Amino acid sequence: MAPTPAAAATVSSRGDTSPAPPGGSQPVAGGWQLAASSALTRLLRQRELGIALVAIILFVLFSLLSHGTFDSVQNWAAIGSATAELGIVTVGVSLLMVSGEFDLSVGANFAFAALVMALMIHDGYPPLEALGADIGIGIGVGLLNGLVTVMLDIPSFITTLGTFFLWSGVTLLVTGGQTVTILNPPGVLTALGGSVSGQIRAEIFWWLGAGLVIGLLLHRTVTGNWLFAVGGKRFAARETGVPVVRTRVIAFVICGVLAAFAGAVQLGHLDSMSASFGSTYQLEAIAASVVGGCALTGGRGSILGAMIGTVVLQMLDNGLILSGVSPYWYESVVGVIVIAAVALHVRIGRLTRGAEQ
Amino acid sequence: MTGGSSTEGVAGAALVQPSPWFEARRVGKRFGSVVALEEVDVAFRPGEIVALIGDNGSGKSTFVKIASGVYQPDGGTLLIEGREARLRSAKDARQAGIETVHQDLGLVDSMSIARNFFLGAELRRGPFLDLTRMERETRKMLVEIGLGNLRAVGQEVSRLSGGERQAISIGRAVAFQKRMLILDEPTSALSIKETETVFEFIRMAKVRGLAVLCVMHNLVQVRDIADRFVVFWHGRKVADVANTGQSEKELAEYILEGKLSELGIERSSLDTGTLRALMQE
Ligand SMILES: Nc1ncnc2c1ncn2[C@@H]1O[C@H](COP(=O)(O)OP(=O)(O)OP(=O)(O)O)[C@@H](O)[C@H]1O
Ligand SMILES: [Mg+2]
């Protein structure tokens, strides 16, 4: 429905406050600076810019420190496949964060869904059926998180803290803490996480594919528009006719499905699954999203940023080792990077929005 | 400008009263123990501007939110063109032809002007948002409300001033308007000149035959725009009268009647100063 602007009157409600800069007839340098600074502002408005800068700096740093091992093709294939599982989880978590919610149950969901899938394949069920069960569990876990949060009207942080414990417990009950290994991996598992050529594994493409699909959904569709609106100001969204409840639940379901799918990909990669896999993913995914520019308060963020954020975390993990630094530094460095990146995003945001709060 | 009052004689009253487009009958709403609305009856006719006035917390915004589908009434019915209408969401109301400028403006600060303009009524191209067309239409609207030179439609709403936000929100409702236009204190952040602009939009909606509901605080301004005054007191309708050129004092008396009878004050014994003081409370 196209708007039919009714007003024929040309009204100047604000037109009298002329925006013309006083420097209109000033020396060329002034005008140039103005143009350059507005171009810079426009560039900085891309939420991905801050994190891309961090990624480039780390890349240069590790390339120098590792004497050529870090920036090799093989190493990047390794970084890529090590990033993929967390990357897929993060794509969902960042979408959910844009809608203003958290999911602390992604790691438990990841392990639970993939373990059921592994057990089913192990027990001779058709592999595609096992994959279907994995996805079904993801939908169910996400739906439960969403419905409980919406209907009981409690913070999703609490809901998913609860379901994290719930599904972790169920996983241990089902497996008794055992690792399930699949000796003759079927084609489905190879397609999910097998080698495509040399070091390059299929999971990289699943990650990029998930990023592309979810990125388009979030940034280019009506549903995505509603996710931003619901996360930005829920009541305003309701006042304009956005189906707030449905949109919120959809976000939880998408996040749940991606976490479970990442578990399936992990199983495809390792051909085995244990209850402890992915147990730190909830925090790492939030860290990667935040580093990539997602606002903790919702309403702002980008899938591309979150994907670069995941790569940055992985670069740290990998680069520290190759630079001869103890890998035990990894978590400490991640902590510092999270704080620094958010401080950077806040500053960039203030600069581009011209706000001085 | 006063409406309807100049029709001569008794015949005038019965002459042309179009049947209501939108009606609320015995509508009630409570929030916990707070009764925000109680058995409210109001009718809105095409081409008529109804000004809803009343003290703070008298239920004006609650009524607006029920009429725009944001809240569900606990009791009573809504009728559109004489038929019972269920407005389960703001989307239902917008589809029925009701556009609203809410008191909080209904804007998402973290989103662009263009995305806000089309929020809940997005333009698509296949499965995707038609951002190009949304931005083009928004730019047209900005020019119409006089913000065209000042603002890029890709800009976040958080960068706008209070008056600019109000203009965007009103511009949005005016652009989509079909049968009824509701404005909840649309001029609270505006200068006198900007207020006149908004009144121009409202009069234009009237000329086009829309039913208009306008919540106003300013009793001087409201006399310029209203055809009819509806007055709320503690969630009840206490007056529903044509604009016959009542003075500011008379309007204040409508608003305060409930309070006056509570206090046992004779209306005739009041002077404007006391009224103003009571209004301030
Ligand atoms: N969502 C809500 N939850 C609880 N109470 C509410 C809610 N909305 C309104 N109320 C209460 O209902 C009553 C009517 O509020 P409402 O906002 O409709 O008044 P109003 O006439 O618009 O006032 P104002 O002139 O200040 O805008 C008030 O007592 C208010 O506190
Ligand atoms: Mg109000």
Side-chain angles (χ1 to χ4, degrees):
Chain A
M1 87 173 111
T4 50
T10 35
V11 214
S12 68
S13 59
R14 291 254 138 192
D16 41 356
T17 54
S18 166
S25 57
Q26 271 186 5
V28 191
W32 181 84
Q33 274 174 4
L34 213 75
S37 85
S38 93
L40 184 68
T41 308
R42 220 173 308 128
L43 192 64
L44 285 175
R45 201 172 301 141
Q46 303 305 124
R47 291 199 72 76
E48 296 84 9
L49 189 88
I51 185 61
L53 279 176
V54 173
I56 290 166
I57 291 168
L58 285 178
F59 181 82
V60 172
L61 195 71
F62 285 135
S63 299
L64 293 175
L65 291 176
S66 69
H67 308 291
T69 49
F70 180 78
D71 52 340
S72 67
V73 175
Q74 294 100 302
N75 191 47
W76 272 88
I79 288 180
S81 62
T83 310
E85 286 90 6
L86 176 61
I88 294 170
V89 174
T90 302
V91 165
V93 165
S94 59
L95 173 134
L96 185 64
M97 282 180 71
V98 164
S99 83
E101 311 285 352
F102 292 101
D103 188 348
L104 298 180
S105 71
V106 284
N109 178 4
F110 173 94
F112 176 53
L115 266 167
V116 169
M117 179 176 171
L119 284 171
M120 283 177 73
I121 293 174
H122 188 266
D123 292 350
Y125 284 90
L128 270 177
E129 238 170 69
L131 178 61
D134 172 278
I135 300 292
I137 288 172
I139 293 173
V141 170
L143 200 60
L144 184 74
N145 285 338
L147 291 178
V148 167
T149 303
V150 167
M151 285 174 161
L152 299 186
D153 194 19
I154 56 178
S156 53
F157 193 89
I158 300 300
T159 311
T160 58
L161 182 65
T163 55
F164 159 73
F165 283 115
L166 175 68
W167 299 118
S168 300
V170 169
T171 307
L172 287 174
L173 272 176
V174 170
T175 62
Q178 296 285 310
T179 298
V180 181
T181 303
I182 291 154
L183 295 175
N184 297 308
V188 169
L189 289 189
T190 317
L192 285 170
S195 164
V196 173
S197 107
Q199 283 257 35
I200 298 171
R201 308 185 74 99
E203 63 231 58
I204 297 177
F205 300 102
W206 290 113
W207 170 46
L208 296 176
L212 184 70
V213 170
I214 300 298
L216 282 174
L217 177 84
L218 183 61
H219 299 288
R220 286 288 175 273
T221 70
V222 175
T223 304
N225 208 45
W226 293 348
L227 287 163
F228 274 103
V230 165
K233 200 164 161 210
R234 200 187 294 162
F235 201 75
R238 183 167 155 195
E239 285 176 341
T240 53
V242 171
V244 171
V245 170
R246 201 204 315 161
T247 305
R248 291 176 71 197
V249 173
I250 285 174
F252 282 100
V253 171
I254 291 173
C255 182
V257 167
L258 284 168
F261 181 66
V265 167
Q266 174 82 281
L267 179 63
H269 180 177
L270 299 174
D271 298 328
S272 73
M273 198 67 207
S274 150
S276 64
F277 289 175
S279 60
T280 58
Y281 275 5
Q282 47 280 342
L283 295 183
E284 283 178 275
I286 291 174
S289 302
V290 163
V291 164
C294 287
L296 219 53
T297 45
R300 291 201 172 97
S302 97
I303 297 295
L304 181 60
M307 291 174 82
I308 303 175
T310 325
V311 175
V312 163
L313 295 196
Q314 205 54 50
M315 275 165 77
L316 284 174
D317 194 8
N318 173 288
L320 287 174
I321 297 170
L322 292 185
S323 309
V325 180
S326 160
Y328 296 133
W329 276 105
Y330 168 66
E331 290 183 355
S332 312
V333 174
V334 167
V336 174
I337 291 276
V338 166
I339 294 170
V342 172
L344 185 70
H345 286 305
V346 169
R347 301 265 158 340
I348 290 178
R350 231 175 253 171
L351 198 65
T352 56
R353 285 196 292 281
E356 197 58 68
Q357 299 124 359
Chain B
M1 189 223 264
T2 58
S5 56
S6 52
T7 22
E8 297 109 300
V10 191
L15 204 63
V16 263
Q17 269 272 33
S19 56
W21 184 78
F22 182 80
E23 247 182 295
R25 284 202 189 147
R26 301 171 70 84
V27 161
K29 179 76 182 172
R30 4 179 10 127
F31 297 102
S33 60
V34 177
V35 180
L37 283 180
E38 203 176 351
E39 309 244 316
V40 168
D41 290 287
V42 196
F44 300 91
R45 295 181 173 78
E48 186 189 39
I49 300 171
V50 173
L52 178 54
I53 54 180
D55 226 352
N56 288 113
S58 59
K60 305 182 297 294
S61 294
T62 304
F63 184 80
V64 164
K65 282 176 188 143
I66 286 174
S68 58
V70 176
Y71 288 166
Q72 303 305 305
D74 308 325
T77 45
L78 303 177
L79 298 132
I80 292 179
E81 289 176 329
R83 276 187 305 272
E84 190 173 336
R86 276 266 164 77
L87 306 177
R88 284 186 194 81
S89 68
K91 191 178 180 205
D92 284 356
R94 293 184 77 179
Q95 273 173 352
I98 301 171
E99 285 294 327
T100 308
V101 180
H102 287 280
Q103 198 165 6
D104 70 1
L105 303 181
L107 299 173
V108 181
D109 285 358
S110 53
M111 293 173 80
S112 73
I113 296 175
R115 280 179 181 252
N116 264 289
F117 188 70
F118 282 97
L119 191 55
E122 290 83 357
L123 302 178
R124 316 165 194 238
R125 213 164 130 209
F128 296 111
L129 286 173
D130 192 344
L131 282 171
T132 324
R133 203 149 66 87
M134 280 163 54
E135 292 191 348
R136 197 183 335 118
E137 297 285 345
T138 307
R139 216 169 286 127
K140 264 204 294 201
M141 182 272 302
L142 285 184
V143 170
E144 247 152 46
I145 60 175
L147 293 174
N149 305 326
L150 207 53
R151 291 303 177 189
V153 293
Q155 217 163 34
E156 266 187 25
V157 165
S158 62
R159 298 195 66 171
L160 306 182
S161 73
E164 286 170 338
R165 271 171 222 227
Q166 207 149 35
I168 302 276
S169 184
I170 294 167
R172 176 171 68 181
V174 168
F176 282 102
Q177 63 185 353
K178 285 201 284 295
R179 305 302 302 271
M180 180 163 178
L181 180 62
I182 303 179
L183 308 99
D184 195 349
E185 305 205 12
T187 57
S188 56
L190 302 184
S191 69
I192 294 174
K193 192 173 160 210
E194 291 163 343
T195 299
E196 197 40 55
T197 304
V198 172
F199 281 5
E200 214 43 61
F201 278 126
I202 294 176
R203 289 193 190 104
M204 231 160 343
K206 172 190 162 81
V207 169
R208 294 180 67 227
L210 272 80
V212 180
L213 164 60
C214 185
V215 177
M216 290 281 280
H217 245 131
N218 188 319
L219 297 184
V220 181
Q221 288 176 357
V222 77
R223 298 166 61 231
D224 294 339
I225 190 88
D227 293 324
R228 190 151 63 85
F229 299 111
V230 170
V231 186
F232 281 5
W233 167 256
H234 275 235
R236 276 177 294 115
K237 186 174 89 170
V238 291
D240 190 337
V241 291
N243 183 351
T244 52
Q246 289 94 330
S247 67
E248 187 194 347
K249 178 169 177 277
E250 281 170 297
L251 292 181
E253 282 172 359
Y254 290 136
I255 292 176
L256 291 172
E257 208 154 53
K259 191 182 240 167
L260 293 179
S261 60
E262 271 170 27
L263 295 173
I265 300 175
E266 272 291 321
R267 205 210 286 187
S268 52
S269 70
L270 276 174
D271 55 63
T272 322
T274 324
L275 267 177
R276 282 241 167 85
L278 281 170
M279 292 288 292
Q280 298 300 317
E281 274 180 24

